[in-house]
Amino acid sequence: ACEYDTYTADFAQEQLATSPHGKKISIKVGDALETLVQLISDDQQFDLVFIDADKQGYQEYYDKILDGNLLEFDGIICVDNTLYQGQAYSTQEVSENGKAIQKFNDYVAQDSRVDKVLLPLRDGLTIIRRVI
């Protein structure tokens, strides 16, 4: 797990410590892109990646995961908040985060490396499967 905030990482680690499976999860504190670069250099790969971070960084995280081969073939990326308070497909004026989500959704929709579906659950969840 990548977490920018030390307090949140410590809290999560405390919760994981109560689980018999908690030792399977490590939390890297710091900038997510730097963590992804380190995971790439360590030749890590994952079956599942969950993105729920700064909305304006979604596309960069997504590309780093795919281009860096962090996701196994047939692996899944779940991306949270892809409807972003209804702004993702609004024709009205939207926030900078809303614009970033619109751009991200369009980008993923055009990406032939993946199969994808956006589920209208709460604030939107996009499930992406790597096919190339």
Side-chain angles (χ1 to χ4, degrees):
C2 303
E3 176 54 55
Y4 187 77
D5 181 64
T6 303
Y7 174 81
T8 303
D10 290 344
F11 176 78
Q13 197 63 59
E14 289 172 18
Q15 303 313 303
L16 291 170
T18 66
S19 168
H21 301 286
K23 293 179 182 175
K24 297 177 184 177
I25 300 169
S26 63
I27 300 174
K28 308 284 187 187
V29 178
D31 180 83
L33 280 176
E34 292 174 14
T35 301
L36 293 175
V37 168
Q38 183 61 53
L39 292 169
I40 291 166
S41 70
D42 292 343
D43 292 322
Q44 294 291 312
Q45 278 198 311
F46 301 92
D47 297 321
L48 175 69
V49 175
F50 186 82
I51 300 174
D52 183 16
D54 60 296
K55 308 313 172 221
Q56 296 176 39
Y58 272 21
Q59 187 171 326
E60 197 169 4
Y61 301 138
Y62 172 82
D63 279 335
K64 188 67 71 180
I65 290 162
L66 289 177
D67 295 341
N69 204 33
L70 284 171
L71 187 68
E72 296 272 359
F73 177 74
D74 275 341
I76 301 292
I77 301 173
C78 293
V79 186
D80 201 17
N81 306 119
T82 49
L83 290 177
Y84 198 72
Q85 304 166 357
Q87 294 183 33
Y89 296 101
S90 177
T91 57
Q92 306 292 323
E93 187 172 330
V94 298
S95 68
E96 290 303 311
N97 283 341
K99 291 175 188 174
I101 292 297
Q102 287 176 343
K103 183 179 173 188
F104 174 77
N105 288 344
D106 290 343
Y107 183 76
V108 172
Q110 301 301 317
D111 192 347
S112 63
R113 300 174 293 179
V114 298
D115 287 335
K116 56 274 185 181
V117 62
L118 193 159
L119 301 176
L121 300 172
R122 294 191 42 97
D123 208 18
L125 177 70
T126 299
I127 301 174
I128 301 164
R129 182 175 65 97
R130 179 180 175 190
V131 295
I132 295 176

